[in-house]
Amino acid sequence: MLGPVLLAAARSDSIRRAVSATPVTRPVVHRFVAGEQLDEALTGVRDLARRGLEVTLDHLGEDVTDRTEALRARDAYLALADALRGEGLGERAEMSVKLSAFGQALPGGHDVALANVLPVVEAAAEAGTTVTLDMEDHTTVDSTLAVLAELRRRFPQTGAVLQSYLFRTEEDCRALAGEGSRVRLVKGAYKEPAEVAYQDKREVDRAYVRCLRILLAGEGYPMIGSHDPRMVSITQELARRFGRKPDEYEFQMLYGIRAAEQDRLVAAGHRMRVYVPYGTDWYGYFMRRLAERPANLAFFLRSLATRG
Ligand code: FDA
């Protein structure tokens, strides 16, 4: 059961420092992260766009501990929005943000995060695109949904992420299945206690299907964030049943994961969006990718062994 150990390590500062300083980690990280700088990410976006893929960009960073760092996160996204506008990429590329990078955990966190993310959402609208609020661990869900509700008053296209491993999520899906609402449904990537979340993968999958049904039967725009072939085919079947056209929902997968399947779905006429992380603060994101799949971890360990 390495997953929980890796998820705990994802939150450890000392392990972060050790892993980040190991030079052999870098090439492996680059399998999941588009680059450390904005221009590398934009090159990645152009490549994906040529393959007919849509994109959501994530400037890596989370769990900031002071206001200056939160302002830096805001400024990185403002620069990104500027670049998307300048390059006319707003139609292809939206942005994903983690509110913990915008100061959500600081004193008065709701107001701090809202004040920092609002200019980003405004800049996204000016660039002809939108923002989706990633969902982090369960202690942040109420706060994130409250910020979402405030943003949606002026920018109803702002998206949310809901995680099927949480018991509460079916109810949240119902609340967010209305017209104009954009919801990315994922299984969930954090280590959560049994009081709030299913621990058994089969339970998480069953909950995912129940949530899919609610969102696809609803009036909103569902974004299916999963690499799981079963979830992809169940989505296709439910979309047919509920009479959804291909532009009335989309699939989403992470950069570097199942690229051939991403192309296959585009060729089959589906809208497919790739989540493209970039930046120097890749540690937490990278560790969650290792935790969710033994093959990812094996790939990492093999490359340490062959280079070390
Ligand atoms: P899961 O890990 O359950 O695997 C099921 C099956 O999928 C596997 O048996 C295999 O067949 C296939 N598969 C999975 N990974 C594969 C791989 N690397 N190669 C080949 N096949 C593979 N989480 C969160 O908590 N908050 C968030 O905001 C987000 N945001 C987000 C955005 C997007 C676009 C995606 C795709 C995912 C997220 N996540 C997330 C992560 C999510 O919660 C989840 O941890 C991962 O997507 C893994 O779950 P899956 O549904 O992909 O498959």
Side-chain angles (χ1 to χ4, degrees):
M1 290 292 2
L2 261 172
V5 176
L6 289 167
L7 289 177
R11 289 244 147 120
S12 153
D13 267 343
S14 51
I15 303 178
R16 170 195 300 263
R17 279 193 295 275
V19 172
S20 304
T22 310
V24 292
T25 313
R26 221 143 274 247
V28 190
V29 170
H30 278 274
R31 183 178 158 195
F32 301 106
V33 172
E36 298 207 335
Q37 305 304 326
L38 175 57
D39 56 343
E40 294 171 272
L42 292 174
T43 304
V45 171
R46 283 187 222 101
D47 290 345
L48 292 164
R50 269 194 291 277
R51 284 163 46 199
L53 295 154
E54 321 277 324
V55 168
T56 181
L57 281 146
D58 165 33
H59 179 261
L60 290 162
E62 52 197 89
D63 296 336
V64 303
T65 50
D66 67 55
R67 285 172 187 251
T68 317
E69 276 182 84
L71 291 175
R72 257 190 248 127
R74 179 201 66 186
D75 291 346
Y77 274 99
L78 290 176
L80 170 60
D82 229 36
L84 293 180
R85 194 181 49 187
E87 301 224 6
L89 282 170
E91 279 209 356
R92 279 274 172 190
E94 58 135 68
M95 304 192 281
S96 287
V97 307
K98 286 187 174 53
L99 290 185
S100 76
F102 284 73
Q104 188 179 38
L106 302 177
H110 170 90
D111 293 340
V112 178
L114 181 60
N116 285 332
V117 80
L118 183 59
V120 173
V121 174
E122 285 166 342
E126 276 165 33
T129 189
T130 184
V131 168
T132 294
L133 304 184
D134 282 354
M135 195 58 86
E136 301 177 68
D137 73 73
H138 78 277
T139 62
T140 66
V141 176
D142 281 330
S143 158
T144 300
L145 293 180
V147 171
L148 175 82
E150 299 207 33
L151 293 172
R152 287 196 65 213
R153 276 201 232 139
R154 271 182 63 205
F155 300 97
Q157 67 278 24
T158 309
V161 178
L162 297 176
Q163 301 149 315
S164 75
Y165 64 14
L166 294 183
F167 300 147
R168 61 175 287 168
T169 292
E170 276 180 72
E171 213 37 58
D172 289 331
C173 284
R174 273 185 208 101
L176 284 174
E179 200 179 332
S181 172
R182 294 169 64 255
V183 175
R184 175 196 304 153
L185 180 65
V186 300
K187 292 184 187 175
Y190 294 80
K191 182 172 172 345
E192 297 291 11
E195 297 78 60
V196 300
Y198 300 109
Q199 306 294 307
D200 179 349
K201 265 184 90 52
R202 283 164 307 185
E203 289 288 342
V204 177
D205 288 357
R206 279 196 277 272
Y208 194 98
V209 176
R210 290 194 297 274
C211 292
L212 267 181
R213 218 179 274 275
I214 295 166
L215 294 174
L216 286 161
E219 305 285 314
Y221 182 76
M223 305 183 279
I224 318 305
S226 177
H227 312 97
D228 188 339
R230 284 180 52 234
M231 299 309 147
V232 170
S233 61
I234 292 171
T235 298
Q236 289 169 319
E237 189 188 311
L238 288 174
R240 263 194 302 277
R241 191 182 312 166
F242 295 122
R244 282 199 177 249
K245 301 193 193 76
D247 63 351
E248 291 174 339
Y249 64 102
E250 68 183 38
F251 291 106
Q252 297 191 349
M253 293 189 188
L254 301 176
Y255 180 82
I257 299 186
R258 303 204 74 203
E261 175 67 0
Q262 296 168 12
D263 291 333
R264 188 189 71 79
L265 286 167
V266 170
H270 289 288
R271 191 178 279 172
M272 172 81 229
R273 191 177 299 278
V274 181
Y275 184 103
V276 177
Y278 73 98
T280 51
D281 195 0
W282 43 258
Y283 175 76
Y285 179 88
F286 176 65
M287 294 300 276
R288 287 194 293 279
R289 301 295 79 78
L290 295 189
E292 70 204 1
R293 193 165 159 82
N296 290 346
L297 179 62
F299 176 74
F300 177 50
L301 294 177
R302 247 194 333 271
S303 69
L304 288 186
T306 50
R307 281 158 217 266

